[in-house]
Amino acid sequence: MGAKASHVSELSENENLRKLIGTESISENDPFWNQLISFSFTSPTNSADTKLLEETTISLSKALIENNPRTGNFGALVRIFLSRTKELKISTECQDQLFIWQAHNALFMIRCLLKVFISQMSEEELHLQFSYQERAPGTCAAGEEDLFEEVMCNLVHLIIEVPLLDITYSILFEAVTTLLILLSYQLFHKEILRESLIYKYLMQGRCVPFTSRLVKTLLYNFIRQEKCPPPVTHVFEQQAEGSGLFYGLASGVASGLWTVFTLGGAGSKPNPEEERPLPLSNQSLLLLLVLANLTDGVDTPNPYRQAIMSFKNTQDSSAPPSSHPHTFQINFNSLYTALCEQQKSDQATLLLYTLLHQNTNFRTYMLARTDMENLVMPILEILYHVEDRNSHHVYMALIILLILTEDDAFNRSIHEVILKNITWYTERALTEISLGSLLILVVIRTIQFNMTRTRDKYLHTNCLAALANMSSQFRSLHQYAAQRIISLFALLSKKHNKVLEQATQSLRGPFGSDDNASLPDYAQDLNVIEEVIRMMLEIINSCLANSLHHNPNLVYALLYKRELFEQFRSHPSFQDIMQNLDMVIGFFSSRLEQAGSDLSVERVQEVIKQGAAALPKDRLKKFPELKFKYVEEDQPEEFFIPYVWSLVYNSTVGLYWSPQDIELFTMDSG
């Protein structure tokens, strides 16, 4: 590109780039390389410019693909980058910004070229592009170090060794992004990739000893949430003529270090707080999720998943040595805080799910926190805005709740946390409510949304499982939460009657008519709705049997709508579970009759509280405790790998993939 500012539209005509991709071999000692990597690039500030960069790079890359077997110029560029990175840590300590800037520019070019190479060729062909040398046309290097693996190890080493400062932000971002691109072969395959040269480098090769440090660094990049440094006016002072190759590099060139993919170029207006994005944090999290979801090798479990499963708290000095080879320590408090703050993004919710499900150390730590509302509230907000979220994000939020409700202490403590003025809950003003009651309200709302819109059985099952897990620990339910439990039962009852009526009408149709063909559908619907009704009755029964005296509002709501339960008393599917409800309704109805007629709401509540204290507990039939545990489906990678890559596709900073090239998922999935 050369020592001047460049723009996307100028790339295809750039003299130095034309020479790089041309037919002439360029020696690594040629001054050309210094000129090539001394440039400032005005970054794309929107998706249109990012797409333009991609399209411009394609034509340049295709020319290089054609000529590189004879010139070996791509390998030479890679070696120039490697030579610059050997002293990168020292350069950082010495504040040698020029050196860092050049290494960054070389990596940026390699990253852009690799992105096109990967979309155009197989891994084997890509490996050859690294191997071609200038010695003889079309020959590969023999008996030498694998340059491809060397680059991957170098990138990992760069990420874990170079400290995160303003002057290193961009090169660290490029290193993370380049690793993501190298792993992006999966995007162009419909089936899950289980064997790959790149996977082999990462999971069996020279990169493996750095596994725990890489995972730890990526987590800390996420935790730190460092904003992109703003462009500065003068990084390098103008040097006197003749003082070196880089005399005359003015601020426009130097600011390239800060402007590449910050979503605000050198000439942009000053960045207000909300306009400064978090590209390194975002990209690091995406790379971490991709690594964690790589498939295990035949004899080699995924070391990155092992590291995520086994890391421990820096505060835990008593932790015994781990049997896992890739364990490390990290500050759990900082990680917990970052997770609480970032749940608006799919990828942060997916990380939370991964840690809760796979890392018992972190799950134990989280469940012992006394400020769980900071984590639960953002999850509830995701579910509350279900119509605005993609289905995968809703699933992850719901499964997180299900995992949390497996813990009895959690189920007790959420009813002790009192919240005031929940602004995002708009159905009704909630001036004061417990976290437990709010959780019940949001889960019930999700069930109702699902019944009317998506009709997803998986969603229903998980919602009901979370409610069931909590039911024996319901305490001091808010009157609105109690009403919504009974209202949901009323809705299910109404739906049951409607399906039953439709099934009956279809049976009355003329024998052999087309209507008979729909009977199996009605039968299936009826079966599903009766399963859900049974579950709701078990949830109400579990609360009454274990904590009736703590929940007068639920007893009040039950009595107020007692006629709803009449039709299920003699139903063979519900007779056993209806015994307790019948007994409770009968017991309290009798006490209310004795108290007289025209009772005020306050008087009714008083009678219920007195009755709850007087009701003999042995009058209620014991049922097995309702307990559901989340278990991942068989072959979870069939769900998680396309999901993770859809997040990479939609959320990476400064990358564009043509939708027509994507094979792994459809554009409307998730």
Side-chain angles (χ1 to χ4, degrees):
M1 290 187 182
K4 63 175 184 177
S6 302
H7 186 266
V8 177
S9 58
E10 301 165 6
L11 291 183
S12 58
E13 303 305 318
N14 184 281
E15 186 181 324
N16 287 318
L17 286 179
R18 304 302 306 176
K19 187 173 180 181
L20 172 71
I21 65 174
T23 55
E24 179 190 335
S25 291
I26 307 163
S27 165
E28 289 170 43
N29 300 318
D30 196 309
F32 161 81
W33 296 107
N34 273 329
Q35 295 171 14
L36 179 72
I37 60 177
S38 302
F39 64 85
S40 171
F41 186 74
T42 305
S43 74
T45 55
N46 54 50
S47 56
D49 278 355
T50 305
K51 184 179 178 184
L52 181 60
L53 172 64
E54 174 77 6
E55 289 167 350
T56 305
T57 311
I58 286 173
S59 59
L60 295 169
S61 302
K62 284 183 175 177
L64 183 59
I65 290 168
E66 187 177 331
N67 294 323
N68 189 50
R70 293 184 298 281
T71 67
N73 285 345
F74 177 70
L77 173 62
V78 168
R79 280 186 287 276
I80 293 294
F81 164 68
L82 293 175
S83 69
R84 291 293 191 280
T85 57
K86 280 173 184 162
E87 305 298 326
L88 207 54
K89 195 175 181 185
I90 295 169
S91 301
T92 304
E93 290 166 0
C94 300
Q95 296 281 303
D96 187 348
Q97 298 173 18
L98 190 60
F99 201 89
I100 298 165
W101 169 61
Q102 282 197 313
H104 163 272
N105 285 351
L107 180 54
F108 173 67
M109 294 178 72
I110 292 166
R111 183 256 276 190
C112 289
L113 292 167
L114 281 174
K115 186 165 179 302
V116 180
F117 286 5
I118 284 167
S119 67
Q120 302 285 322
M121 62 181 73
S122 68
E123 273 190 324
E124 292 73 21
E125 291 169 317
L126 178 64
H127 191 234
L128 282 176
Q129 293 295 334
F130 281 90
S131 305
Y132 294 129
Q133 300 230 5
E134 62 177 295
R135 293 189 310 271
T139 59
C140 299
E144 292 185 14
E145 201 167 34
D146 184 338
L147 192 61
F148 194 178
E149 185 172 20
E150 177 70 18
V151 167
M152 295 205 68
C153 287
N154 187 280
L155 292 171
V156 170
H157 205 254
L158 195 161
I159 292 166
I160 64 178
E161 287 288 348
V162 175
L164 175 52
L165 307 168
D166 277 6
I167 58 171
T168 60
Y169 191 102
S170 285
I171 194 165
L172 288 169
F173 170 79
E174 282 302 328
V176 171
T177 304
T178 306
L179 279 180
L180 261 180
I181 284 168
L182 285 166
L183 288 158
S184 68
Y185 268 110
Q186 180 63 78
L187 279 172
F188 310 107
H189 291 80
K190 205 170 189 66
E191 71 286 354
I192 302 301
L193 292 181
R194 298 180 188 277
E195 290 185 7
S196 152
L197 180 62
I198 292 165
Y199 294 1
K200 187 178 175 184
Y201 288 150
L202 285 168
M203 297 204 290
Q204 298 173 39
R206 289 163 50 208
C207 296
V208 174
F210 305 121
T211 296
S212 57
R213 290 181 66 195
L214 179 59
V215 171
K216 183 175 182 176
T217 304
L218 294 174
L219 274 172
Y220 268 127
N221 286 349
F222 166 70
I223 288 167
R224 287 177 65 172
Q225 298 289 313
E226 289 285 347
K227 291 183 171 60
C228 201
V232 294
T233 49
H234 291 279
V235 182
F236 310 130
E237 294 301 322
Q238 182 139 350
Q239 299 178 8
E241 189 170 344
S243 63
L245 279 168
F246 296 98
Y247 69 88
L249 283 185
S251 61
V253 180
S255 66
L257 178 61
W258 279 266
T259 58
V260 175
F261 295 123
T262 63
L263 302 186
S268 64
K269 62 185 178 184
N271 284 328
E273 194 68 21
E274 67 273 14
E275 286 187 13
R276 289 178 61 192
L278 307 165
L280 180 61
S281 172
N282 179 69
Q283 229 89 321
S284 294
L285 177 52
L286 290 169
L287 176 58
L288 181 64
L289 292 170
V290 168
L291 291 171
N293 285 282
L294 295 178
T295 53
D296 292 333
V298 179
D299 300 313
T300 52
N302 178 344
Y304 303 95
R305 188 180 302 123
Q306 286 184 317
I308 283 171
M309 288 170 66
S310 61
F311 69 77
K312 297 173 179 173
N313 193 358
T314 49
Q315 309 301 311
D316 187 4
S317 56
S318 64
S322 173
S323 58
H324 288 284
H326 303 294
T327 191
F328 60 90
Q329 288 186 303
I330 200 167
N331 187 310
F332 277 11
N333 181 57
S334 301
L335 179 56
Y336 177 82
T337 302
L339 286 166
C340 291
E341 290 171 352
Q342 297 299 317
Q343 285 308 306
K344 282 189 171 61
S345 79
D346 278 73
Q347 46 267 42
T349 305
L350 182 53
L351 175 62
L352 174 58
Y353 159 79
T354 304
L355 296 179
L356 260 180
H357 180 55
Q358 297 184 4
N359 190 310
T360 52
N361 302 319
F362 191 67
R363 181 167 68 246
T364 302
Y365 170 85
M366 279 182 54
L367 288 166
R369 293 282 303 206
T370 56
D371 61 348
M372 277 296 286
E373 67 273 16
N374 291 338
L375 186 76
V376 175
M377 288 290 280
I379 298 298
L380 294 183
E381 203 170 342
I382 293 167
L383 291 175
Y384 186 78
H385 297 294
V386 57
E387 59 273 16
D388 303 323
R389 302 284 177 184
N390 71 66
S391 61
H392 289 5
H393 199 183
V394 172
Y395 283 149
M396 289 298 103
L398 196 51
I399 291 166
I400 287 165
L401 286 186
L402 178 55
I403 294 171
L404 293 174
T405 62
E406 291 170 14
D407 184 75
D408 284 338
F410 171 83
N411 294 332
R412 279 193 301 275
S413 65
I414 54 175
H415 293 288
E416 295 163 8
V417 178
I418 304 302
L419 308 165
K420 296 181 186 294
N421 301 316
I422 315 301
T423 53
W424 48 262
Y425 194 97
T426 55
E427 266 94 335
R428 174 168 171 157
L430 298 175
T431 52
E432 189 171 290
I433 189 171
S434 72
L435 180 60
S437 288
L438 182 64
L439 200 160
I440 291 164
L441 283 174
V442 172
V443 171
I444 286 174
R445 186 179 182 274
T446 307
I447 294 172
Q448 290 181 320
F449 174 84
N450 188 46
M451 283 173 66
T452 56
R453 306 278 185 88
T454 51
R455 301 184 67 188
D456 185 326
K457 189 180 176 184
Y458 183 80
L459 203 65
H460 258 23
T461 304
N462 285 294
C463 284
L464 290 166
L467 286 176
N469 283 348
M470 293 188 290
S471 59
S472 66
Q473 304 282 351
F474 284 171
R475 292 287 187 278
S476 306
L477 288 185
H478 191 282
Q479 64 179 57
Y480 186 50
Q483 286 170 22
R484 297 309 294 161
I485 290 171
I486 305 303
S487 296
L488 175 58
F489 187 82
L491 188 66
L492 291 165
S493 175
K494 187 177 178 183
K495 193 171 179 65
H496 176 266
N497 294 342
K498 184 179 178 183
V499 172
L500 200 58
E501 185 183 334
Q502 288 172 330
T504 307
Q505 284 176 354
S506 71
L507 279 171
R508 288 177 183 154
F511 182 75
S513 72
D514 288 343
D515 284 347
N516 277 321
S518 61
L519 180 60
D521 290 337
Y522 288 132
Q524 189 179 3
D525 280 354
L526 198 60
N527 185 42
V528 170
I529 203 80
E530 287 185 356
E531 279 180 21
V532 176
I533 286 172
R534 168 87 192 183
M535 190 78 155
M536 280 303 297
L537 287 171
E538 288 181 345
I539 288 165
I540 295 167
N541 178 69
S542 172
C543 176
L544 296 177
N546 291 283
S547 54
L548 181 146
H549 56 295
H550 288 301
N551 291 292
N553 284 331
L554 183 63
V555 176
Y556 184 97
L558 195 64
L559 293 171
Y560 191 72
K561 293 283 188 181
R562 69 190 90 175
E563 74 283 351
L564 280 175
F565 300 90
E566 295 283 339
Q567 62 174 309
F568 300 108
R569 190 176 288 156
S570 57
H571 194 294
S573 299
F574 311 121
Q575 272 179 323
D576 59 335
I577 205 81
M578 280 300 299
Q579 288 177 27
N580 281 348
L581 272 75
D582 262 351
M583 197 282 292
V584 169
I585 290 169
F587 176 82
F588 283 97
S589 296
S590 170
R591 291 184 77 93
L592 287 171
E593 284 171 17
Q594 291 169 20
S597 57
D598 297 327
L599 301 176
S600 66
V601 172
E602 291 75 16
R603 177 62 183 139
V604 171
Q605 289 174 331
E606 188 183 329
V607 171
I608 289 170
K609 284 176 184 174
Q610 291 168 350
L615 177 67
K617 288 191 176 178
D618 57 6
R619 294 271 302 274
L620 294 171
K621 182 184 174 185
K622 293 293 180 190
F623 284 86
E625 187 182 9
L626 289 180
K627 273 295 167 191
F628 293 87
K629 190 173 176 63
Y630 169 70
V631 179
E632 267 188 357
E633 301 278 342
D634 291 337
Q635 296 185 305
E637 66 275 11
E638 298 289 343
F639 170 84
F640 284 104
I641 290 177
Y643 179 35
V644 169
W645 278 105
S646 73
L647 298 181
V648 174
Y649 175 83
N650 288 306
S651 308
T652 44
V653 181
L655 291 180
Y656 168 83
W657 281 279
S658 172
Q660 295 93 316
D661 295 339
I662 306 301
E663 293 286 339
L664 181 61
F665 51 83
T666 55
M667 288 302 114
D668 57 350
S669 65

